[in-house]
Amino acid sequence: KKMPVIFFDEAHKLPALIQSTDTMKCLLDSMLVLTKQDRLCHVIHATSDPFYQTWLRQLNVMQHCKIITIGDCSKAETRSF
């Protein structure tokens, strides 16, 4: 079974777009239900901001996250990917 993926590029801009902490927490909790409990999709937050992880930690969602750091790939790594 193919599972849909929801991809947020520039995810570090979410706090500026959604001013209310309660609203943002509700959105993240909804993603948690969709991904972990119901297993209906995957959600990926992509960002170049290293402080986004700190912000997620403040909302107590880091225990449900898997952090993957991708650095600048070499030309050979890019081709193999």
Side-chain angles (χ1 to χ4, degrees):
K1 173 183 168 184
K2 291 184 180 181
M3 193 173 292
V5 176
I6 301 171
F7 188 89
F8 289 94
D9 193 14
E10 300 291 332
H12 63 276
K13 293 183 179 181
L14 284 174
L17 292 172
I18 302 173
Q19 299 288 322
S20 167
T21 303
D22 290 336
T23 302
M24 194 63 210
K25 182 74 173 143
C26 181
L27 177 64
L28 293 170
D29 287 344
S30 299
M31 290 179 201
L32 178 65
V33 169
L34 290 171
T35 59
K36 296 289 186 180
Q37 293 176 5
D38 295 344
R39 298 177 189 222
L40 295 174
C41 64
H42 296 292
V43 177
I44 298 172
H45 289 213
T47 182
S48 58
D49 183 357
F51 297 108
Y52 186 66
Q53 181 177 343
T54 304
W55 180 78
L56 289 175
R57 189 174 287 116
Q58 291 173 351
L59 293 176
N60 294 320
V61 296
M62 285 302 295
Q63 66 270 20
H64 305 292
C65 299
K66 180 179 181 182
I67 304 297
I68 300 172
T69 303
I70 301 172
D72 292 329
C73 297
S74 68
K75 194 172 190 177
E77 289 172 328
T78 304
R79 286 197 173 146
S80 70
F81 180 72

Coordinates of all heavy atoms in Angstrom, one line a residue:
K1 N 0.8 -1.2 0.0 CA 0.0 0.0 0.0 C 0.9 1.2 0.0 O 1.8 1.4 0.8 CB -0.9 0.0 1.2 CG -1.7 1.2 1.5 CD -2.5 1.1 2.8 CE -3.0 2.5 3.1 NZ -3.7 2.5 4.4
K2 N 0.6 2.2 -0.9 CA 1.4 3.4 -1.0 C 0.8 4.4 0.0 O -0.5 4.5 0.2 CB 1.3 4.0 -2.4 CG 2.1 3.2 -3.4 CD 2.1 3.9 -4.7 CE 2.8 3.1 -5.7 NZ 2.9 3.8 -7.0
M3 N 1.6 5.0 0.8 CA 1.2 6.0 1.8 C 1.5 7.4 1.3 O 2.6 7.7 0.9 CB 1.9 5.7 3.1 CG 1.3 6.4 4.3 SD 2.1 5.8 5.8 CE 1.5 4.2 6.0
P4 N 0.6 8.3 1.5 CA 0.8 9.7 1.0 C 1.8 10.4 2.0 O 2.0 10.0 3.1 CB -0.5 10.4 1.2 CG -1.4 9.4 1.9 CD -0.8 8.1 1.9
V5 N 2.5 11.4 1.4 CA 3.5 12.1 2.2 C 3.1 13.6 2.1 O 2.9 14.1 1.0 CB 4.9 11.9 1.6 CG1 5.9 12.8 2.3 CG2 5.4 10.5 1.6
I6 N 3.0 14.2 3.2 CA 2.8 15.7 3.3 C 4.2 16.3 3.6 O 4.8 16.0 4.6 CB 1.8 16.0 4.4 CG1 0.5 15.3 4.2 CG2 1.6 17.5 4.5 CD1 -0.5 15.4 5.3
F7 N 4.6 17.2 2.7 CA 5.9 17.8 2.8 C 5.8 19.3 3.0 O 5.2 20.0 2.2 CB 6.7 17.5 1.5 CG 8.1 17.9 1.5 CD1 9.1 17.0 1.9 CD2 8.5 19.2 1.1 CE1 10.4 17.3 1.9 CE2 9.8 19.5 1.1 CZ 10.8 18.6 1.5
F8 N 6.4 19.8 4.1 CA 6.4 21.2 4.4 C 7.9 21.7 4.2 O 8.8 21.4 4.9 CB 6.1 21.5 5.9 CG 4.7 21.3 6.2 CD1 4.2 20.0 6.7 CD2 3.7 22.3 6.1 CE1 2.9 19.8 7.1 CE2 2.4 22.1 6.4 CZ 2.0 20.9 6.9
D9 N 8.0 22.4 3.1 CA 9.3 23.0 2.8 C 9.4 24.4 3.5 O 8.4 25.0 3.7 CB 9.5 23.2 1.3 CG 11.0 23.5 0.9 OD1 11.9 23.3 1.7 OD2 11.2 23.9 -0.2
E10 N 10.6 24.8 3.9 CA 10.7 26.0 4.7 C 9.8 26.0 6.0 O 9.1 26.9 6.3 CB 10.4 27.2 3.9 CG 11.3 27.4 2.6 CD 12.7 27.7 3.0 OE1 13.0 28.3 4.0 OE2 13.6 27.3 2.2
A11 N 9.8 24.8 6.6 CA 8.9 24.6 7.8 C 9.2 25.6 8.9 O 8.3 25.8 9.8 CB 9.1 23.2 8.3
H12 N 10.4 26.2 9.0 CA 10.7 27.1 10.0 C 9.9 28.4 10.0 O 9.8 29.2 10.9 CB 12.2 27.5 10.0 CG 12.7 28.2 8.8 ND1 13.0 27.5 7.6 CD2 12.8 29.5 8.5 CE1 13.3 28.3 6.7 NE2 13.2 29.5 7.2
K13 N 9.2 28.6 8.9 CA 8.3 29.7 8.7 C 6.9 29.5 9.3 O 6.1 30.4 9.4 CB 8.2 30.1 7.2 CG 9.5 30.6 6.7 CD 9.3 31.1 5.3 CE 10.7 31.6 4.7 NZ 10.6 32.1 3.4
L14 N 6.6 28.3 9.7 CA 5.3 28.0 10.3 C 5.0 28.8 11.5 O 3.9 29.3 11.6 CB 5.2 26.5 10.6 CG 4.9 25.5 9.4 CD1 5.0 24.1 9.9 CD2 3.6 25.9 8.8
P15 N 5.9 29.0 12.5 CA 5.6 29.8 13.6 C 5.2 31.2 13.3 O 4.4 31.8 14.0 CB 6.9 29.7 14.5 CG 7.6 28.5 14.0 CD 7.2 28.3 12.6
A16 N 5.8 31.8 12.3 CA 5.4 33.1 11.9 C 4.1 33.2 11.2 O 3.4 34.2 11.3 CB 6.5 33.7 10.9
L17 N 3.7 32.1 10.5 CA 2.4 32.1 9.8 C 1.3 31.8 10.8 O 0.2 32.3 10.6 CB 2.4 31.0 8.7 CG 3.3 31.3 7.5 CD1 3.4 30.0 6.6 CD2 2.9 32.5 6.7
I18 N 1.6 31.0 11.8 CA 0.5 30.6 12.8 C 1.0 31.2 14.1 O 1.8 30.7 14.8 CB 0.4 29.1 12.9 CG1 0.0 28.5 11.5 CG2 -0.7 28.7 13.9 CD1 0.0 27.0 11.4
Q19 N 0.4 32.4 14.4 CA 0.8 33.1 15.6 C 0.5 32.5 16.9 O 1.2 32.6 17.9 CB 0.2 34.5 15.6 CG 0.6 35.3 14.3 CD 2.0 35.8 14.4 OE1 2.5 36.2 15.4 NE2 2.6 35.8 13.3
S20 N -0.7 31.7 17.0 CA -1.1 31.1 18.2 C -0.4 29.8 18.5 O -0.4 28.9 17.7 CB -2.6 30.9 18.1 OG -3.0 30.0 19.2
T21 N 0.2 29.8 19.7 CA 0.9 28.6 20.1 C 0.0 27.4 20.2 O 0.3 26.3 19.9 CB 1.7 28.8 21.4 OG1 2.5 29.9 21.3 CG2 2.5 27.6 21.9
D22 N -1.3 27.7 20.7 CA -2.3 26.6 20.9 C -2.7 26.1 19.5 O -2.8 24.9 19.3 CB -3.5 27.1 21.6 CG -3.2 27.4 23.1 OD1 -2.3 26.8 23.6 OD2 -4.0 28.2 23.7
T23 N -2.8 26.9 18.5 CA -3.2 26.5 17.2 C -2.1 25.6 16.6 O -2.3 24.6 16.0 CB -3.5 27.7 16.3 OG1 -4.5 28.5 16.9 CG2 -3.9 27.3 14.9
M24 N -0.8 26.1 16.8 CA 0.3 25.3 16.2 C 0.4 24.0 16.9 O 0.7 22.9 16.3 CB 1.6 26.1 16.4 CG 2.7 25.6 15.6 SD 2.4 25.7 13.9 CE 3.4 24.3 13.3
K25 N 0.2 23.9 18.2 CA 0.2 22.7 19.0 C -0.9 21.7 18.5 O -0.6 20.5 18.3 CB 0.1 22.9 20.5 CG 0.1 21.7 21.3 CD 1.5 21.2 21.5 CE 1.6 20.1 22.5 NZ 2.4 19.0 22.2
C26 N -2.0 22.3 18.2 CA -3.2 21.5 17.7 C -2.8 20.9 16.3 O -3.1 19.7 16.0 CB -4.4 22.4 17.6 SG -5.9 21.5 17.0
L27 N -2.2 21.7 15.4 CA -1.7 21.2 14.1 C -0.7 20.1 14.2 O -0.8 19.1 13.6 CB -1.2 22.4 13.3 CG -0.6 22.0 11.9 CD1 -1.7 21.6 11.0 CD2 0.1 23.2 11.3
L28 N 0.3 20.3 15.1 CA 1.3 19.2 15.3 C 0.7 18.0 15.9 O 1.1 16.9 15.5 CB 2.4 19.8 16.2 CG 3.3 20.9 15.5 CD1 4.2 21.5 16.5 CD2 4.0 20.3 14.3
D29 N -0.2 18.1 16.8 CA -0.9 17.0 17.4 C -1.7 16.2 16.4 O -1.8 15.0 16.4 CB -1.8 17.4 18.6 CG -1.0 17.8 19.8 OD1 0.2 17.4 19.9 OD2 -1.6 18.4 20.7
S30 N -2.4 17.0 15.5 CA -3.1 16.4 14.4 C -2.2 15.5 13.5 O -2.5 14.4 13.1 CB -3.8 17.4 13.6 OG -4.7 18.1 14.3
M31 N -1.0 16.1 13.2 CA 0.0 15.4 12.4 C 0.4 14.1 13.1 O 0.6 13.1 12.5 CB 1.2 16.2 12.1 CG 0.9 17.4 11.1 SD 2.4 18.3 10.9 CE 1.7 19.9 10.3
L32 N 0.5 14.2 14.4 CA 0.9 13.0 15.2 C -0.1 11.9 15.1 O 0.2 10.8 14.9 CB 1.1 13.4 16.7 CG 1.5 12.3 17.6 CD1 2.8 11.8 17.3 CD2 1.4 12.9 19.0
V33 N -1.4 12.3 15.2 CA -2.5 11.3 15.1 C -2.5 10.7 13.7 O -2.6 9.5 13.6 CB -3.8 12.0 15.4 CG1 -5.0 11.0 15.0 CG2 -3.9 12.4 16.9
L34 N -2.3 11.5 12.7 CA -2.3 11.0 11.3 C -1.2 10.0 11.0 O -1.3 9.1 10.3 CB -2.3 12.1 10.3 CG -3.6 12.9 10.2 CD1 -3.3 14.2 9.3 CD2 -4.7 12.1 9.6
T35 N 0.0 10.3 11.6 CA 1.2 9.6 11.3 C 1.4 8.4 12.2 O 1.7 7.3 11.8 CB 2.4 10.5 11.3 OG1 2.6 11.1 12.6 CG2 2.4 11.5 10.2
K36 N 1.3 8.6 13.5 CA 1.7 7.6 14.5 C 0.5 6.7 14.9 O 0.7 5.5 15.0 CB 2.3 8.2 15.8 CG 3.6 8.9 15.5 CD 4.7 8.0 15.2 CE 6.0 8.7 15.1 NZ 7.1 7.8 14.9
Q37 N -0.6 7.3 15.1 CA -1.7 6.5 15.6 C -2.5 5.8 14.5 O -2.7 4.6 14.5 CB -2.7 7.4 16.5 CG -2.0 7.9 17.8 CD -2.9 8.8 18.6 OE1 -4.0 9.1 18.2 NE2 -2.3 9.3 19.6
D38 N -2.9 6.6 13.6 CA -3.8 6.1 12.5 C -2.9 5.6 11.3 O -3.4 4.8 10.5 CB -4.7 7.2 11.9 CG -5.7 7.6 13.0 OD1 -5.9 6.9 14.0 OD2 -6.4 8.6 12.8
R39 N -1.7 6.0 11.2 CA -0.7 5.5 10.2 C -1.3 5.7 8.8 O -1.3 4.9 7.9 CB -0.3 4.1 10.4 CG 0.4 3.9 11.7 CD 0.7 2.5 11.9 NE 1.3 2.3 13.3 CZ 2.3 1.6 13.6 NH1 2.9 0.9 12.7 NH2 2.7 1.6 14.9
L40 N -1.8 6.9 8.6 CA -2.4 7.3 7.3 C -1.5 8.0 6.3 O -1.8 8.0 5.1 CB -3.7 8.2 7.5 CG -4.8 7.5 8.3 CD1 -5.9 8.5 8.5 CD2 -5.4 6.3 7.5
C41 N -0.4 8.6 6.8 CA 0.5 9.3 6.0 C 1.8 9.5 6.7 O 1.9 9.2 7.9 CB -0.1 10.6 5.6 SG -0.4 11.8 6.9
H42 N 2.8 10.1 6.0 CA 4.0 10.6 6.5 C 4.0 12.1 6.4 O 3.4 12.6 5.5 CB 5.2 10.0 5.8 CG 5.3 8.5 5.8 ND1 5.7 7.9 7.0 CD2 5.2 7.6 4.9 CE1 5.7 6.6 6.7 NE2 5.4 6.4 5.4
V43 N 4.6 12.8 7.4 CA 4.8 14.2 7.4 C 6.2 14.5 7.5 O 6.9 14.1 8.4 CB 4.0 14.9 8.5 CG1 4.2 16.4 8.5 CG2 2.5 14.6 8.4
I44 N 6.7 15.4 6.5 CA 8.1 15.8 6.5 C 8.2 17.3 6.6 O 7.5 18.0 5.9 CB 8.8 15.3 5.3 CG1 8.8 13.8 5.2 CG2 10.3 15.8 5.2 CD1 9.3 13.2 3.9
H45 N 9.0 17.8 7.6 CA 9.2 19.2 7.7 C 10.7 19.4 7.3 O 11.6 18.9 7.9 CB 9.1 19.7 9.2 CG 7.7 19.7 9.7 ND1 7.2 20.6 10.6 CD2 6.6 18.9 9.4 CE1 6.0 20.4 10.8 NE2 5.6 19.3 10.1
A46 N 10.9 20.2 6.2 CA 12.2 20.4 5.7 C 12.5 21.9 6.0 O 11.7 22.8 5.8 CB 12.3 20.2 4.2
T47 N 13.8 22.1 6.5 CA 14.2 23.5 6.9 C 15.7 23.5 6.9 O 16.4 22.5 7.0 CB 13.6 23.9 8.2 OG1 14.0 25.3 8.5 CG2 14.1 23.0 9.3
S48 N 16.2 24.7 6.7 CA 17.6 25.0 6.8 C 17.9 25.7 8.1 O 19.1 26.0 8.4 CB 18.1 25.8 5.6 OG 17.4 27.0 5.6
D49 N 16.9 25.9 8.9 CA 17.1 26.6 10.2 C 17.4 25.7 11.3 O 16.5 24.9 11.7 CB 15.8 27.4 10.5 CG 15.9 28.3 11.7 OD1 16.9 28.3 12.4 OD2 14.9 29.0 12.0
P50 N 18.6 25.7 11.9 CA 18.9 24.8 13.0 C 18.1 25.1 14.3 O 18.0 24.2 15.1 CB 20.4 25.1 13.2 CG 20.6 26.4 12.7 CD 19.7 26.6 11.6
F51 N 17.5 26.2 14.4 CA 16.7 26.6 15.6 C 15.3 26.0 15.5 O 14.5 26.0 16.5 CB 16.7 28.1 15.8 CG 18.0 28.6 16.1 CD1 18.7 29.4 15.2 CD2 18.7 28.3 17.3 CE1 19.9 29.9 15.4 CE2 19.9 28.8 17.6 CZ 20.6 29.6 16.6
Y52 N 14.8 25.5 14.4 CA 13.5 24.9 14.3 C 13.3 23.7 15.2 O 12.3 23.5 15.8 CB 13.2 24.5 12.8 CG 11.8 24.0 12.6 CD1 10.7 24.9 12.7 CD2 11.6 22.7 12.2 CE1 9.4 24.4 12.5 CE2 10.3 22.3 12.0 CZ 9.2 23.1 12.1 OH 7.9 22.7 11.9
Q53 N 14.4 22.9 15.4 CA 14.4 21.8 16.3 C 14.2 22.3 17.7 O 13.4 21.6 18.5 CB 15.7 21.0 16.1 CG 15.8 19.8 17.0 CD 17.1 19.0 16.8 OE1 17.8 19.2 15.8 NE2 17.4 18.2 17.7
T54 N 14.8 23.4 18.1 CA 14.6 23.9 19.4 C 13.2 24.3 19.6 O 12.6 24.1 20.7 CB 15.5 25.1 19.6 OG1 16.9 24.7 19.4 CG2 15.4 25.7 21.0
W55 N 12.6 24.9 18.6 CA 11.2 25.4 18.7 C 10.3 24.2 18.9 O 9.3 24.2 19.7 CB 10.8 26.2 17.4 CG 9.4 26.7 17.4 CD1 8.9 27.7 18.1 CD2 8.4 26.1 16.7 NE1 7.6 27.8 17.8 CE2 7.2 26.8 17.0 CE3 8.2 25.0 15.8 CZ2 6.0 26.6 16.4 CZ3 7.0 24.7 15.3 CH2 5.9 25.5 15.6
L56 N 10.5 23.1 18.1 CA 9.7 21.9 18.3 C 9.9 21.3 19.7 O 8.9 20.8 20.3 CB 10.1 20.8 17.2 CG 9.7 21.1 15.8 CD1 10.3 20.0 14.9 CD2 8.2 21.2 15.6
R57 N 11.1 21.3 20.2 CA 11.3 20.8 21.6 C 10.5 21.6 22.6 O 10.0 21.0 23.5 CB 12.8 20.9 21.9 CG 13.2 20.2 23.2 CD 14.7 20.2 23.4 NE 15.3 19.2 22.5 CZ 16.2 19.5 21.6 NH1 16.6 20.8 21.4 NH2 16.7 18.6 20.8
Q58 N 10.4 22.9 22.4 CA 9.6 23.7 23.3 C 8.1 23.3 23.3 O 7.4 23.5 24.3 CB 9.7 25.2 23.0 CG 11.1 25.8 23.2 CD 11.2 27.2 22.7 OE1 10.4 27.7 22.0 NE2 12.3 27.8 23.1
L59 N 7.6 22.8 22.2 CA 6.2 22.3 22.1 C 6.1 20.8 22.5 O 5.0 20.3 22.3 CB 5.7 22.5 20.6 CG 5.6 24.0 20.2 CD1 5.2 24.0 18.7 CD2 4.6 24.7 21.1
N60 N 7.1 20.2 23.0 CA 7.1 18.9 23.5 C 6.7 17.8 22.4 O 5.9 16.9 22.7 CB 6.3 18.7 24.7 CG 6.8 19.5 25.9 OD1 8.0 19.5 26.1 ND2 5.9 20.1 26.6
V61 N 7.2 18.0 21.2 CA 6.9 17.0 20.2 C 8.1 16.3 19.7 O 8.0 15.4 18.8 CB 6.2 17.7 19.0 CG1 4.8 18.2 19.4 CG2 7.0 18.7 18.3
M62 N 9.3 16.6 20.2 CA 10.5 16.0 19.7 C 10.6 14.5 20.0 O 11.2 13.7 19.2 CB 11.7 16.6 20.4 CG 12.0 18.0 19.8 SD 12.3 18.0 18.1 CE 13.8 17.0 17.9
Q63 N 9.9 14.0 21.0 CA 9.9 12.5 21.2 C 9.2 11.7 20.1 O 9.4 10.5 20.0 CB 9.3 12.2 22.6 CG 7.8 12.5 22.8 CD 7.6 13.9 23.3 OE1 8.4 14.8 23.2 NE2 6.3 14.1 23.8
H64 N 8.4 12.4 19.3 CA 7.7 11.8 18.2 C 8.3 12.1 16.8 O 7.8 11.7 15.8 CB 6.2 12.3 18.2 CG 5.5 12.1 19.5 ND1 5.2 10.9 20.0 CD2 5.1 13.0 20.4 CE1 4.6 11.0 21.1 NE2 4.5 12.3 21.4
C65 N 9.5 12.7 16.8 CA 10.1 13.1 15.6 C 11.4 12.3 15.3 O 12.0 11.8 16.3 CB 10.5 14.6 15.7 SG 9.2 15.8 15.9
K66 N 11.7 12.2 14.1 CA 12.9 11.6 13.7 C 13.7 12.7 12.9 O 13.2 13.1 11.9 CB 12.7 10.3 12.8 CG 14.0 9.7 12.3 CD 13.7 8.5 11.5 CE 15.0 7.8 11.1 NZ 14.7 6.6 10.2
I67 N 14.8 13.1 13.4 CA 15.6 14.1 12.8 C 16.6 13.5 11.8 O 17.4 12.6 12.2 CB 16.3 15.0 13.9 CG1 15.3 15.5 14.9 CG2 17.1 16.1 13.2 CD1 14.3 16.5 14.3
I68 N 16.6 14.0 10.6 CA 17.5 13.5 9.6 C 18.3 14.8 9.1 O 17.6 15.7 8.6 CB 16.9 12.8 8.4 CG1 16.1 11.6 8.9 CG2 17.9 12.4 7.4 CD1 15.2 10.9 7.9
T69 N 19.6 14.8 9.3 CA 20.3 16.0 8.9 C 21.0 15.6 7.5 O 21.7 14.6 7.4 CB 21.4 16.3 9.9 OG1 20.8 16.6 11.1 CG2 22.2 17.6 9.5
I70 N 20.8 16.5 6.6 CA 21.4 16.3 5.2 C 22.3 17.5 5.0 O 21.8 18.6 4.9 CB 20.3 16.2 4.1 CG1 19.4 15.0 4.5 CG2 21.0 16.0 2.8 CD1 18.2 14.9 3.5
G71 N 23.5 17.2 4.9 CA 24.5 18.3 4.6 C 24.6 18.6 3.1 O 23.8 18.1 2.3
D72 N 25.6 19.3 2.7 CA 25.9 19.6 1.3 C 26.5 18.3 0.7 O 27.6 17.9 1.2 CB 26.8 20.8 1.1 CG 26.1 22.0 1.6 OD1 24.9 22.1 1.4 OD2 26.8 23.0 2.0
C73 N 25.9 17.7 -0.2 CA 26.4 16.5 -0.8 C 27.4 16.8 -1.9 O 27.4 17.9 -2.5 CB 25.2 15.8 -1.5 SG 23.9 15.2 -0.4
S74 N 28.4 15.9 -2.0 CA 29.4 16.0 -3.1 C 28.7 15.7 -4.4 O 27.6 15.2 -4.4 CB 30.5 15.1 -2.8 OG 30.1 13.8 -3.0
K75 N 29.3 16.0 -5.5 CA 28.8 15.7 -6.8 C 28.5 14.2 -7.0 O 27.5 13.8 -7.5 CB 29.8 16.2 -7.9 CG 29.2 16.3 -9.3 CD 30.2 17.0 -10.2 CE 29.5 17.3 -11.5 NZ 30.4 18.0 -12.4
A76 N 29.5 13.4 -6.5 CA 29.3 11.9 -6.6 C 28.1 11.4 -5.7 O 27.4 10.6 -6.2 CB 30.6 11.2 -6.2
E77 N 28.0 12.0 -4.5 CA 26.9 11.6 -3.7 C 25.5 12.0 -4.3 O 24.6 11.2 -4.3 CB 27.0 12.2 -2.3 CG 28.1 11.7 -1.5 CD 28.3 12.5 -0.2 OE1 28.1 13.7 -0.2 OE2 28.7 11.9 0.8
T78 N 25.5 13.2 -4.9 CA 24.3 13.6 -5.6 C 23.9 12.7 -6.7 O 22.8 12.3 -6.9 CB 24.5 15.1 -6.1 OG1 24.8 15.9 -5.0 CG2 23.2 15.6 -6.7
R79 N 24.9 12.3 -7.5 CA 24.6 11.4 -8.6 C 24.2 10.1 -8.2 O 23.3 9.5 -8.8 CB 25.9 11.3 -9.5 CG 26.1 12.6 -10.3 CD 27.0 12.3 -11.5 NE 27.0 13.5 -12.3 CZ 28.1 14.0 -12.9 NH1 29.2 13.3 -12.9 NH2 28.0 15.1 -13.7
S80 N 24.8 9.5 -7.1 CA 24.4 8.2 -6.6 C 23.0 8.2 -6.0 O 22.2 7.3 -6.1 CB 25.4 7.7 -5.6 OG 25.3 8.4 -4.4
F81 N 22.6 9.4 -5.5 CA 21.3 9.5 -4.9 C 20.2 9.6 -6.0 O 19.2 9.0 -6.0 CB 21.2 10.8 -4.0 CG 19.8 10.9 -3.4 CD1 19.4 10.1 -2.4 CD2 18.9 11.9 -3.9 CE1 18.1 10.3 -1.8 CE2 17.7 12.1 -3.3 CZ 17.3 11.3 -2.3

